[in-house]
Every structure is written in C-alpha cells, then in structure tokens.
Amino acid sequence: MKATSAKDLQAETLVGDVRDALLTHIRSMETPWSKLSERQQQAKIDAISRAAESLVRGSVHLIAHQGFPHLVVSTGKWGVKDGIKLEAMASATVDNITKLAEHGAGAAILVLAEAGDFFGERKKAKAAKDQPDLPIHDEDGVIHEDDEGEDDEANGEAESNPLPEPGRPPEPPKDAGRSAAR
C-alpha cells in the first residue's frame, strides 16, 4: 500500500507506509538535489518535515490505540480528593459519542500521549548554499593569511623566486652593457 498521508497508515505496514510517503517527495523531484537552488532545497526540506510530522502524529495515534476504542481529548480541570477527578473535552462526533455510550461508566485507561514529544531530530536538515564560501574563509568568515611559504622556508624547501623583491629595481645582467655598446 502506498501511503500519502497519516490516514493511510496501517500497523502491519507502518515502516513501509512511512517510507512510501517520504519517497513520494523524492520521486517528484525532476532535478537532482545538488542542482536545486538553496530556496528549492529548503522548500523540499519544509515539505518533507511537514509530512514527517503528520506521519509521526498518525503513527503515535495508530500505535497508542491499536485494537482499542479511543478518543482524542484535551484535558481540562482536574483535582485530587478521594481520587483524581478530571475533565476532558473531545469533539462531539457520532464516532466519539458511540464509543462513550458503548463503554459506559466504568474503568478505562487514560494514555497521556502527545505526538509533539516525538518531533525531535538528530540534526537540522540544511539546504546547500547557492554560493559556497570561499576556501580562504573559515567557518566564522575570518580570512586567514597563507602560511605555507613560511613553513617551506623553515624546512629549507623554499622555491627560488625569479621576481625582484618589492621596492627594489631589478639588477641588469652583467653582460647586458657590453652587448649594447657594440
């Protein structure tokens, strides 16, 4: 089954459903990632992030309620006196009303789960810059002098420079005056 939204998730095929939903974004790319502009890459990252959030929300819902009737509620006031008294609010849908009517007054298990608790990431996804930094800049944008020549001179490996030192005129060849006079 190809999952395109959290509604398509099934417990037996959850990993494949999540994979298929994310592959939908990859397969829709006509241009390779490295050829996309920074803005286009960021748009793809944002779309996949929204899909991931939806899929996590659907997965938590699916796993937490596997095989049991359930209601998605918002907890309200609560107090402690001879036990915990809790107010909860849910949408007044026919499905929710039917579940409560069938369950009736009695024991139930309240699972306090928030899908947002699972929205973490190992590291932030970043788009590649359209214009990469020049190699002479470090991560902080500081320009560093080229110290390679100094190291070579210290090791006795300096190359001879045929150009004169700055501010000093070049010396003419020793036989240049004789050939000009003849």
Side-chain angles (χ1 to χ4, degrees):
M1 173 181 194
K2 183 178 179 184
T4 56
S5 72
K7 294 177 184 177
D8 296 331
L9 298 176
Q10 295 181 5
E12 309 81 41
T13 60
L14 185 57
V15 170
D17 294 343
V18 170
R19 178 203 60 222
D20 292 346
L22 296 176
L23 280 174
T24 300
H25 291 279
I26 294 169
R27 288 181 178 137
S28 70
M29 293 176 54
E30 294 178 12
T31 305
W33 182 263
S34 60
K35 301 290 184 192
L36 294 175
S37 69
E38 183 177 357
R39 183 184 55 76
Q40 291 170 318
Q41 287 181 1
Q42 191 60 52
K44 266 302 179 198
I45 290 169
D46 293 343
I48 290 172
S49 293
R50 284 189 303 274
E53 285 182 13
S54 175
L55 292 166
V56 166
R57 206 178 292 282
S59 297
V60 168
H61 184 270
L62 179 72
I63 293 167
H65 306 102
Q66 186 63 34
F68 299 102
H70 62 278
L71 301 172
V72 177
V73 300
S74 297
T75 55
K77 293 186 215 174
W78 61 278
V80 180
K81 184 177 180 182
D82 300 326
I84 296 175
K85 184 175 183 178
L86 171 69
E87 290 182 14
M89 184 67 139
S91 298
T93 64
V94 172
D95 189 40
N96 284 348
I97 294 167
T98 303
K99 288 176 187 176
L100 280 174
E102 289 174 353
H103 181 75
I109 297 174
L110 176 63
V111 177
L112 301 173
E114 172 59 45
D117 292 342
F118 302 97
F119 286 0
E121 51 191 17
R122 294 179 199 273
K123 69 178 193 176
K124 186 167 175 55
K126 294 182 181 178
K129 293 182 177 181
D130 287 339
Q131 297 291 322
D133 293 333
L134 294 174
I136 59 172
H137 292 80
D138 68 5
E139 296 157 291
D140 299 324
V142 177
I143 299 175
H144 294 277
E145 296 293 327
D146 183 13
D147 297 331
E148 290 179 27
E150 293 174 17
D151 292 341
D152 289 343
E153 287 176 19
N155 296 331
E157 300 174 8
E159 294 181 25
S160 62
N161 186 353
L163 299 176
E165 292 181 25
R168 188 177 195 188
E171 293 182 23
K174 293 181 182 180
D175 62 344
R178 292 181 193 160
S179 61
R182 293 183 191 177

